[in-house]
Amino acid sequence: MTTRHPRHPRPVPSPVETLRARAVRTQGWGLGLLTVAALLWVWCAVLLLTPYETAAGNGCGTLLADEYHHDEDCYESRDWPELLGLLATSVPFAVAGAMVHTRGALTDRLAPLLADLDEDRTEA
């Protein structure tokens, strides 16, 4: 339900519509943060599951395969702390994304209830 402001030709959205639009935008931000976390997980999986070469041109197998040899060159070129750092970086994005998305979803679900409470308060 939109109303028109006396001085503005554009319709002014109701508070519920404004709240729902903000909730959808908040959910989008949450999904964006969760996407960043998922991309970091995919990047870590690619580094774990693909063979690679060192700077000297030595071929190294995947880090999670049986044929992986713990050569010094292979060990130095793709290090476990780098991979764990990727996973550690994804945690804040995942937590923040889940919280922001949940907040947007709850706000969207509560908007009609808040509108009903507002109508009851104005009627009394």
Side-chain angles (χ1 to χ4, degrees):
M1 175 174 158
T2 58
T3 58
R4 294 195 180 272
H5 193 273
R7 291 192 235 171
H8 295 75
R10 284 191 331 219
V12 178
S14 69
V16 174
E17 290 173 348
T18 304
L19 189 62
R20 281 204 156 159
R22 188 176 300 151
V24 169
R25 191 170 44 245
T26 302
Q27 283 179 319
W29 275 102
L31 288 177
L33 290 170
L34 287 171
T35 301
V36 170
L39 289 174
L40 288 170
W41 273 86
V42 168
W43 185 13
C44 182
V46 166
L47 291 177
L48 281 172
L49 300 173
T50 57
Y52 60 99
E53 289 186 3
T54 62
N58 299 338
C60 301
T62 64
L63 291 176
L64 294 180
D66 290 337
E67 69 268 1
Y68 178 69
H69 302 289
H70 296 286
D71 296 335
E72 190 66 30
D73 291 338
C74 291
Y75 182 75
E76 288 180 5
S77 64
R78 190 166 287 177
D79 204 4
W80 281 102
E82 176 189 353
L83 299 173
L84 293 176
L86 281 174
L87 293 180
T89 304
S90 73
V91 171
F93 286 106
V95 170
M99 289 173 46
V100 170
H101 185 271
T102 301
R103 179 182 176 198
L106 286 175
T107 302
D108 189 36
R109 302 258 328 216
L110 288 176
L113 176 63
L114 294 174
D116 290 343
L117 290 175
D118 190 38
E119 286 177 11
D120 291 344
R121 190 182 67 178
T122 57
E123 289 176 1

